[in-house]
């Protein structure tokens, strides 16, 4: 029996693995000031190339959609494991009952009982594979939807092309060796994502 997966390990994998390119062209050089723009947490670099980052750990902790779907997936996964464990116990009990009655059975009866147990075992293994495959498909769909939501949001968020690149950062699983918090746009991104979802829910 496979031990329970940690759902989080499969979510936002693409974020931790790579980079979000928020636009194709570098931001225009600000010739008047290198101070942060109002309402942003990143400064305009003197060479006109501005790179910001999103902390994925923080997104997972505060993005309402992620938290809700993660809970739903964990609940489904636990239900699958509970059902399979109950099926295994029932089959084990049936096998134990067969062992107790085996001495009183004829050879043909014993062989028939063994075939039945074997068939039930095969059916249970097939059921487990199907249920876990269905769960994996649901998890993949969630990952794809989550990726699309963030990509769509960042495209609108960076429509003014203030950032040339928006990177992803995750503690212990990132290619970024150093980050300056003034280039952290995570709070703005989370706020925008939650507000967008709330607005869509009212439609």
């Amino acid at each position: 029996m496979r031990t329970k997966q940690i759902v989080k390990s499969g979510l936002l994998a693409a974020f931790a693995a790579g980079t979000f390119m928020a636009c194709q062209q570098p931001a225009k050089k600000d010739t008047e000031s290198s101070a942060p723009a109002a309402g942003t947490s990143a400064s305009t670099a003197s060479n006109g190339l501005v790179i910001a980052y999103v902390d994925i750990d923080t997104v997972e902790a505060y993005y309402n959609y992620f938290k809700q779907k993660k809970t739903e997936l964990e609940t489904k996964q636990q239900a699958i494991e509970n059902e399979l464990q109950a099926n295994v116990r029932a089959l084990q009990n049936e096998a134990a009952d067969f062992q107790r009655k085996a001495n009183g059975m004829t050879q043909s009866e014993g062989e028939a009982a063994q075939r039945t147990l074997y068939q039930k075992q095969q059916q249970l293994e097939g059921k487990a594979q199907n249920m876990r495959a269905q769960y994996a498909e649901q998890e993949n769909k969630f990952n794809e939807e989550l990726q699309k939501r963030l990509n769509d949001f960042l495209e609108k968020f960076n429509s003014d092309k203030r950032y040339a690149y928006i990177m992803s950062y995750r503690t212990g699983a990132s290619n970024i060796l150093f980050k300056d918090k003034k280039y952290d746009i995570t709070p703005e991104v989370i706020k925008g994502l939650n507000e967008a979802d709330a607005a869509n829910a009212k439609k």
Side-chain angles (χ1 to χ4, degrees):
M1 183 67 62
R2 190 180 66 176
T3 57
K4 180 180 178 183
Q5 277 185 314
I6 300 175
V7 175
K8 180 177 177 181
S9 65
L11 304 179
L12 292 169
F15 302 163
T19 299
F20 289 109
M21 178 178 279
C23 62
Q24 296 297 324
Q25 299 177 352
K28 295 180 180 179
K29 183 175 181 179
D30 186 347
T31 57
E32 297 182 0
S33 173
S34 61
T40 68
S41 56
S43 298
T44 302
S46 60
N47 64 357
L49 180 66
V50 186
I51 299 176
Y53 72 90
V54 176
D55 189 317
I56 301 306
D57 294 323
T58 305
V59 172
E60 291 179 347
Y62 294 100
Y63 182 25
N64 293 333
Y65 173 80
F66 176 89
K67 293 191 294 180
Q68 176 188 343
K69 292 300 181 180
K70 177 188 173 185
T71 299
E72 290 176 5
L73 284 171
E74 287 178 334
T75 300
K76 288 180 180 179
Q77 186 181 49
Q78 188 61 59
I80 289 171
E81 296 303 328
N82 289 344
E83 182 176 346
L84 292 176
Q85 287 173 9
N87 291 159
V88 168
R89 287 194 297 269
L91 186 57
Q92 289 173 338
N93 290 337
E94 193 170 341
D97 186 58
F98 164 71
Q99 291 293 335
R100 286 192 297 269
K101 297 178 179 178
N103 291 335
M105 293 181 178
T106 65
Q107 182 175 350
S108 60
E109 288 174 338
E111 290 174 351
Q114 287 179 328
R115 283 195 299 271
T116 298
L117 286 172
Y118 178 75
Q119 289 171 355
K120 289 184 177 181
Q121 180 183 354
Q122 294 296 104
Q123 290 171 355
L124 181 54
E125 290 175 356
K127 178 181 179 179
Q129 290 177 355
N130 289 336
M131 293 180 73
R132 287 170 177 155
Q134 290 173 4
Y135 173 82
E137 183 178 355
Q138 290 178 325
E139 189 177 49
N140 288 335
K141 286 182 179 178
F142 169 51
N143 288 334
E144 291 171 0
E145 174 63 21
L146 193 62
Q147 182 79 60
K148 185 178 185 303
R149 281 171 178 253
L150 187 55
N151 287 348
D152 290 348
F153 173 79
L154 288 177
E155 185 176 352
K156 294 178 182 177
F157 179 81
N158 200 53
S159 59
D160 59 359
K161 299 188 184 300
R162 74 187 113 164
Y163 306 123
Y165 295 91
I166 299 179
M167 315 288 288
S168 64
Y169 175 83
R170 185 192 288 279
T171 303
S174 174
N175 292 327
I176 299 176
L177 301 179
F178 172 79
K179 59 185 177 69
D180 189 330
K181 289 188 176 181
K182 71 181 178 181
Y183 296 102
D184 182 4
I185 61 171
T186 310
E188 298 165 75
V189 170
I190 294 173
K191 181 174 182 291
L193 286 167
N194 285 332
E195 288 177 348
D197 288 347
N200 288 333
K202 292 179 181 180
K203 292 181 180 179

